[in-house]
């Protein structure tokens, strides 16, 4: 009977050792599960951060793009206005130059007519030259 008790005792010890090993494995797996959950939560938070960052970056790019497009439009309008003023100034200058030329030509005709009257009093002066 001692032998049976001894065998029973060995089986019991073996079972206890197996149970302890399984408990250790279970604890290790529980720790791995906790670590895996933490990693998963961190990855999810990181994905949310990245998504929020990308969204904010896109909004900022839209703001900058709109700002610069508005500035470009303003500068194009200013340039167009300056070009129109230059064209008007050229037209005005051409008109003023022509008016001065006409005035000088008229004065020249008057001087020629006066010269003719002074030095050739008997010669008739053409009315188109006056």
């Amino acid at each position: 009977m001692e032998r049976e008790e001894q065998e029973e005792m060995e089986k019991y010890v073996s079972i206890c050792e197996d149970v302890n090993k399984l408990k250790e494995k279970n604890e290790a797996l529980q720790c791995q599960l906790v670590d895996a959950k933490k990693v998963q939560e961190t990855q999810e938070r990181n994905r949310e951060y990245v998504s929020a960052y990308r969204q904010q970056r896109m909004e900022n790019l839209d703001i900058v793009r709109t700002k610069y497009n508005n500035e470009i439009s303003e500068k194009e309008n200013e340039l167009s206005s300056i070009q129109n003023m230059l064209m008007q100034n050229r037209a005005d200058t051409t008109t003023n130059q022509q008016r001065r030329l006409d005035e000088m030509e008229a004065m020249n005709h008057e001087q020629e007519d006066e010269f003719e009257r002074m030095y050739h009093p008997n010669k008739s002066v053409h009315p188109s030259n006056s």
Side-chain angles (χ1 to χ4, degrees):
M1 186 141 152
E2 250 182 64
R3 187 166 185 187
E4 286 180 18
E5 286 179 7
Q6 181 69 26
E7 287 177 6
E8 286 291 319
M9 187 61 120
E10 287 175 4
K11 283 183 185 178
Y12 177 75
V13 168
S14 176
I15 290 171
C16 285
E17 288 174 355
D18 289 345
V19 167
N20 285 336
K21 286 179 185 177
L22 288 173
K23 282 182 181 179
E24 287 176 11
K25 282 184 181 181
N26 189 32
E27 286 177 18
L29 289 172
Q30 288 290 357
C31 289
Q32 287 178 352
L33 180 61
V34 167
D35 290 345
K37 285 182 179 179
K38 287 180 183 177
V39 167
Q40 185 179 10
E41 289 171 0
T42 301
Q43 287 174 339
E44 192 156 324
R45 266 197 317 273
N46 287 346
R47 278 193 282 278
E48 290 172 4
Y49 292 150
V50 167
S51 177
Y53 170 78
R54 286 182 179 153
Q55 181 64 31
Q56 186 64 46
R57 191 177 71 187
M58 292 303 291
E59 290 172 8
N60 290 347
L61 286 173
D62 286 343
I63 290 169
V64 169
R65 187 178 301 116
T66 300
K67 176 186 173 192
Y68 284 119
N69 284 342
N70 289 343
E71 287 182 13
I72 287 170
S73 292
E74 288 176 17
K75 296 299 179 188
E76 286 173 343
N77 290 340
E78 288 177 23
L79 178 61
S80 177
S81 175
I82 290 170
Q83 288 172 333
N84 289 339
M85 286 175 23
L86 282 173
M87 287 172 46
Q88 184 61 45
N89 283 344
R90 284 186 189 135
D92 291 348
T93 300
T94 302
T95 302
N96 288 339
Q97 286 175 340
Q98 187 60 48
R99 186 176 40 82
R100 282 191 215 121
L101 282 173
D102 292 345
E103 288 173 357
M104 289 172 69
E105 192 173 329
M107 284 176 35
N108 189 28
H109 285 305
E110 286 176 16
Q111 288 175 351
E112 285 177 358
D113 289 349
E114 191 175 319
F115 177 81
E116 287 295 324
R117 278 194 295 272
M118 285 176 60
Y119 293 103
H120 303 87
N122 295 333
K123 200 173 184 186
S124 79
V125 178
H126 297 288
S128 65
N129 289 346
S130 54

